[in-house]
Structure formats: C-alpha cells, structure tokens
Amino acid sequence: MIALNPSPMNENIEGIDLNKVDFLFLNEIEGRILSGEKETHKILKKLISYYPDLKIIITLGVNGAVYKDKNQEYRQRAINTKVIDTTGAGDTFLGYFLSMFFQK
C-alpha cells in the first residue's frame, strides 16, 4: 500500500498519478491545490470523483480532521490542548493514523 503526504507541495507532486496511491494525507492548502476547490467537502468530493479508490485524510488544524473514501466519511474534532510547538505534528498524526488503521 502507498501512503502519500504531498508536503511540501510543488509542481512535481501536482503531476503524480494518484490512482496508484492508497492513502492521501493533506492539509487544506494541499487539498485546494490538488482539487481546485476551497471548501473541505468539495475538495473531498472532487478528489474521490477522480480517484474513487483513494482514502483521503484532510487535517484541519484546530477543527480536527476528516477521513473519506468512496463508502464512508468520518470527522474527528481536535482535542483542546495547550500547544507549545507544532513541529512534527503532521508526521506524528500520519504515523498514528496508519498504525491504528492497520490494527483493525
């Protein structure tokens, strides 16, 4: 399985064939670039219409995260906490997400 986190986003990533990707981890900015849409639900809808087998995870900062595939959608609110440094937060989220997903 292939998990892709296109960060930092650049023109090389925009040309990747996402049909070969199983999990796509994005923030809102990356989602806007890849889909051309501004609203989260429209980003998800457009990307799933292009890549129906893709599992998309969009992180929304203080608003949590959304998981969507062709059959289901889950939203997780962020846990209110005192943030000191966000360095590595996305990588940590990705690692824990995949770890828990494959423990099913």
Side-chain angles (χ1 to χ4, degrees):
M1 298 197 98
I2 297 173
L4 175 64
N5 179 2
S7 179
M9 179 64 79
N10 63 41
E11 62 277 351
N12 294 324
I13 292 172
E14 291 179 52
I16 289 176
D17 180 4
L18 295 177
N19 285 302
K20 299 175 191 227
V21 174
D22 299 291
F23 293 88
L24 181 62
F25 289 84
L26 304 167
N27 61 32
E28 293 171 290
I29 296 167
E30 295 154 352
R32 287 177 190 142
I33 292 169
L34 288 178
S35 70
E37 298 290 344
K38 293 183 180 181
E39 297 174 38
T40 302
H41 72 280
K42 289 182 179 180
I43 292 169
L44 292 166
K45 184 177 180 179
K46 185 172 254 185
L47 290 175
I48 289 292
S49 74
Y50 290 154
Y51 310 102
D53 294 324
L54 195 58
K55 296 165 187 65
I56 305 169
I57 301 88
I58 295 186
T59 56
L60 305 170
V62 299
N63 293 314
V66 180
Y67 167 92
K68 180 158 181 64
D69 63 31
K70 64 184 169 188
N71 299 314
Q72 55 198 344
E73 179 174 315
Y74 295 101
R75 293 184 171 269
Q76 176 62 51
R77 285 185 259 160
I79 296 170
N80 190 15
T81 186
K82 180 181 177 185
V83 177
I84 297 171
D85 185 353
T86 61
T87 303
D91 295 330
T92 301
F93 175 85
L94 188 153
Y96 272 98
F97 180 93
L98 289 174
S99 171
M100 296 309 293
F101 188 90
F102 287 108
Q103 284 186 10
K104 290 192 219 180

